[in-house]
mmCIF file of all heavy atoms in Angstrom:
data_model
loop_
_atom_site.group_PDB
_atom_site.id
_atom_site.type_symbol
_atom_site.label_atom_id
_atom_site.label_comp_id
_atom_site.label_asym_id
_atom_site.label_seq_id
_atom_site.Cartn_x
_atom_site.Cartn_y
_atom_site.Cartn_z
ATOM 1 N N SER A 1498 19.098 64.102 -26.322
ATOM 2 C CA SER A 1498 19.647 63.294 -27.408
ATOM 3 C C SER A 1498 19.223 61.844 -27.241
ATOM 4 O O SER A 1498 18.674 61.435 -26.213
ATOM 5 C CB SER A 1498 21.178 63.391 -27.400
ATOM 6 O OG SER A 1498 21.699 62.725 -26.258
ATOM 7 N N ALA A 1499 19.520 61.048 -28.254
ATOM 8 C CA ALA A 1499 19.209 59.620 -28.183
ATOM 9 C C ALA A 1499 19.968 58.953 -27.042
ATOM 10 O O ALA A 1499 19.448 58.066 -26.359
ATOM 11 C CB ALA A 1499 19.552 58.949 -29.513
ATOM 12 N N GLN A 1500 21.202 59.412 -26.796
ATOM 13 C CA GLN A 1500 21.992 58.848 -25.689
ATOM 14 C C GLN A 1500 21.399 59.218 -24.338
ATOM 15 O O GLN A 1500 21.401 58.403 -23.411
ATOM 16 C CB GLN A 1500 23.436 59.346 -25.781
ATOM 17 C CG GLN A 1500 24.233 58.673 -26.888
ATOM 18 C CD GLN A 1500 25.609 59.280 -27.000
ATOM 19 O OE1 GLN A 1500 25.775 60.398 -27.473
ATOM 20 N NE2 GLN A 1500 26.605 58.539 -26.559
ATOM 21 N N ASP A 1501 20.890 60.450 -24.219
ATOM 22 C CA ASP A 1501 20.242 60.864 -22.965
ATOM 23 C C ASP A 1501 19.050 59.951 -22.669
ATOM 24 O O ASP A 1501 18.862 59.502 -21.523
ATOM 25 C CB ASP A 1501 19.743 62.314 -23.083
ATOM 26 C CG ASP A 1501 20.873 63.319 -23.226
ATOM 27 O OD1 ASP A 1501 21.975 63.037 -22.714
ATOM 28 O OD2 ASP A 1501 20.658 64.369 -23.856
ATOM 29 N N CYS A 1502 18.257 59.683 -23.696
ATOM 30 C CA CYS A 1502 17.069 58.832 -23.509
ATOM 31 C C CYS A 1502 17.465 57.418 -23.117
ATOM 32 O O CYS A 1502 16.805 56.790 -22.273
ATOM 33 C CB CYS A 1502 16.238 58.818 -24.784
ATOM 34 S SG CYS A 1502 15.566 60.436 -25.237
ATOM 35 N N LEU A 1503 18.542 56.913 -23.714
ATOM 36 C CA LEU A 1503 19.013 55.569 -23.366
ATOM 37 C C LEU A 1503 19.424 55.508 -21.901
ATOM 38 O O LEU A 1503 19.075 54.562 -21.187
ATOM 39 C CB LEU A 1503 20.188 55.181 -24.262
ATOM 40 C CG LEU A 1503 20.900 53.875 -23.900
ATOM 41 C CD1 LEU A 1503 19.952 52.686 -24.032
ATOM 42 C CD2 LEU A 1503 22.130 53.673 -24.779
ATOM 43 N N SER A 1504 20.151 56.528 -21.438
ATOM 44 C CA SER A 1504 20.599 56.547 -20.046
ATOM 45 C C SER A 1504 19.418 56.602 -19.084
ATOM 46 O O SER A 1504 19.421 55.940 -18.036
ATOM 47 C CB SER A 1504 21.526 57.744 -19.803
ATOM 48 O OG SER A 1504 22.703 57.624 -20.563
ATOM 49 N N LEU A 1505 18.404 57.382 -19.416
ATOM 50 C CA LEU A 1505 17.205 57.452 -18.563
ATOM 51 C C LEU A 1505 16.444 56.128 -18.573
ATOM 52 O O LEU A 1505 15.846 55.732 -17.572
ATOM 53 C CB LEU A 1505 16.309 58.599 -19.025
ATOM 54 C CG LEU A 1505 16.836 59.996 -18.694
ATOM 55 C CD1 LEU A 1505 16.088 61.066 -19.479
ATOM 56 C CD2 LEU A 1505 16.726 60.270 -17.191
ATOM 57 N N GLY A 1506 16.480 55.433 -19.702
ATOM 58 C CA GLY A 1506 15.877 54.109 -19.750
ATOM 59 C C GLY A 1506 16.615 53.122 -18.853
ATOM 60 O O GLY A 1506 15.992 52.323 -18.143
ATOM 61 N N GLU A 1507 17.940 53.187 -18.853
ATOM 62 C CA GLU A 1507 18.730 52.304 -17.989
ATOM 63 C C GLU A 1507 18.515 52.645 -16.514
ATOM 64 O O GLU A 1507 18.504 51.746 -15.661
ATOM 65 C CB GLU A 1507 20.212 52.417 -18.365
ATOM 66 C CG GLU A 1507 20.513 51.834 -19.745
ATOM 67 C CD GLU A 1507 21.913 52.139 -20.219
ATOM 68 O OE1 GLU A 1507 22.526 53.112 -19.681
ATOM 69 O OE2 GLU A 1507 22.413 51.431 -21.118
ATOM 70 N N PHE A 1508 18.335 53.946 -16.210
ATOM 71 C CA PHE A 1508 18.003 54.346 -14.848
ATOM 72 C C PHE A 1508 16.658 53.740 -14.423
ATOM 73 O O PHE A 1508 16.498 53.254 -13.306
ATOM 74 C CB PHE A 1508 17.937 55.877 -14.757
ATOM 75 C CG PHE A 1508 17.367 56.400 -13.455
ATOM 76 C CD1 PHE A 1508 18.169 56.542 -12.336
ATOM 77 C CD2 PHE A 1508 16.015 56.740 -13.360
ATOM 78 C CE1 PHE A 1508 17.643 57.017 -11.137
ATOM 79 C CE2 PHE A 1508 15.482 57.212 -12.179
ATOM 80 C CZ PHE A 1508 16.300 57.352 -11.061
ATOM 81 N N SER A 1509 15.679 53.762 -15.327
ATOM 82 C CA SER A 1509 14.363 53.203 -15.024
ATOM 83 C C SER A 1509 14.446 51.703 -14.735
ATOM 84 O O SER A 1509 13.745 51.185 -13.863
ATOM 85 C CB SER A 1509 13.403 53.466 -16.190
ATOM 86 O OG SER A 1509 13.239 54.851 -16.406
#
Side-chain angles (χ1 to χ4, degrees):
S1498 69
Q1500 285 176 287
D1501 294 331
C1502 297
L1503 173 63
S1504 296
L1505 287 166
E1507 292 171 340
F1508 170 84
S1509 299

